[in-house]
Amino acid sequence: MLDRADWRAREQAHAERADALTAGHRSRRARGARHPIEDFLFTYYSYSPSLLRRWHPGAGVELADAAGTARADWRWYAAGATERGLVVDAAAMRAAKGAMLGLVERMLRRTAARPGQFGCFGLHEWAMVYRQGEHRHPVALRLGQAATDEVVEAHELRCTHIDAYRFFTPDATPRNRFTPTRESQPELEQPGCLHANMDVYKWAVKLGPLVPGGLLLDAFELARDIRYLDMQASPYDMAPWGGEPVRIETADGKAEYVRRQRGFAERANALRGDLLAALPAW
């Protein structure tokens, strides 16, 4: 049970933290400007800043004297055990979204249980431009097209993530060790993958009000930090946007990439554990 003063203070602190995390994106959007690293999270996942701003206490926590607030009209809230109290209606969510909740739980649990693979060196982004003159991002290639193609050809592609693999160019697809599909995703996802770790944010959003607000923002921050490495290690010249290159075509660059990749794997698995702990015992 959280009394009204307590949960109101938490709600306000959460909104302020969310606003700070999204301030740059909102300012650029108002001006019609774009940041190819930071704004990606709001287009790739299609979740608005307002979603991040909405605080939830998580399942099993009653908010005292909340019945007269706007929250009473939010989906998945119900009357609590006390007069004018509100709780997240986990039972209703399970009845309506059981299949989705089960998928998210399996993805989190299975991914966390697997050993991480740390030999991909972020080459998925290179495979997305391999032998192709027109690219997804209107940013110059750091090494030029021919040298970029040579980097791909000098390495084995080892991408395990369907949402990266599906953007490979036709010439890059057969070079990949794996053939990820949506159906095989629960069996291939592993915690060394930057994109799988970014997706912890997606899973947190899908769990909705079952997830405490601070945990959602932690997952967003992880995705933001990973996005920087993803673009720093990419073939694109991201220096104008604060993305000094991690030159994975060199031994030093590979070592730097793996060091940071391992750190993200640890952070992501900690958050996976927190998300699983936030789920009610069905």
Side-chain angles (χ1 to χ4, degrees):
M1 172 73 74
L2 296 177
D3 65 36
R4 185 181 177 95
D6 190 350
W7 69 259
R8 281 291 203 187
R10 297 187 189 202
E11 182 181 55
Q12 180 62 32
H14 175 91
E16 292 172 359
R17 181 183 171 194
D19 285 347
L21 287 171
T22 63
H25 170 72
R26 290 183 288 109
S27 174
R28 286 186 296 272
R29 185 177 60 184
R31 305 192 312 270
R34 284 189 55 77
H35 191 296
I37 301 177
E38 295 182 2
D39 294 336
F40 172 83
L41 294 180
F42 298 97
T43 56
Y44 181 69
Y45 291 113
S46 301
Y47 302 142
S48 69
S50 61
L51 182 147
L52 283 169
R53 202 173 193 273
R54 180 171 285 196
W55 175 81
H56 300 288
V61 178
E62 183 164 348
L63 304 180
D65 195 23
T69 67
R71 187 180 298 269
D73 295 324
W74 292 2
R75 194 178 187 192
W76 310 125
Y77 275 81
T82 62
E83 185 177 359
R84 295 182 57 77
L86 289 179
V87 294
V88 173
D89 195 343
M93 282 195 70
R94 184 189 182 193
K97 294 179 173 288
M100 183 274 291
L101 294 175
L103 172 63
V104 174
E105 182 175 11
R106 288 195 301 277
M107 291 296 299
L108 292 169
R109 196 176 302 280
R110 292 181 183 183
T111 304
R114 292 193 184 97
Q117 299 177 30
F118 301 101
C120 69
F121 306 124
L123 283 162
H124 56 277
E125 290 289 341
W126 300 67
M128 294 177 194
V129 300
Y130 179 60
R131 291 186 178 179
Q132 196 162 82
E134 295 185 5
H135 309 134
R136 294 175 61 226
H137 302 296
V139 179
L141 297 181
R142 180 168 53 81
L143 303 179
Q145 186 68 57
T148 296
D149 293 345
E150 290 173 3
V151 171
V152 174
E153 291 162 1
H155 295 80
E156 180 186 38
L157 300 180
R158 304 178 183 180
C159 183
T160 57
H161 189 68
I162 176 58
D163 287 318
Y165 176 75
R166 66 190 177 96
F167 291 110
F168 280 24
T169 68
D171 286 335
T173 297
R175 303 183 69 92
N176 200 51
R177 175 188 291 187
F178 305 98
T179 307
T181 64
R182 192 63 66 197
E183 292 72 26
S184 68
Q185 188 173 7
E187 311 308 323
L188 282 180
E189 212 81 301
Q190 47 84 22
C193 173
L194 293 193
H195 277 257
N197 293 336
M198 285 174 60
D199 278 353
V200 172
Y201 168 55
K202 176 179 72 174
W203 302 131
V205 171
K206 286 186 176 296
L207 293 177
L210 298 175
V211 175
L215 182 50
L216 173 64
L217 296 187
D218 288 346
F220 177 82
E221 286 189 315
L222 173 64
R224 178 203 60 192
D225 294 347
I226 290 173
R227 172 61 178 172
Y228 262 89
L229 177 59
D230 200 29
M231 287 293 97
Q232 286 176 288
S234 79
Y236 297 107
D237 181 8
M238 289 291 167
W241 295 277
E244 291 300 322
V246 174
R247 303 179 188 278
I248 58 89
E249 70 274 16
T250 70
D252 286 347
K254 285 181 173 65
E256 172 69 6
Y257 184 88
V258 171
R259 182 187 67 79
R260 293 170 63 180
Q261 186 183 27
R262 287 183 181 277
F264 288 137
E266 291 176 3
R267 284 175 64 185
N269 269 352
L271 290 178
R272 288 185 180 100
D274 290 343
L275 288 172
L276 288 167
L279 291 174
W282 304 117

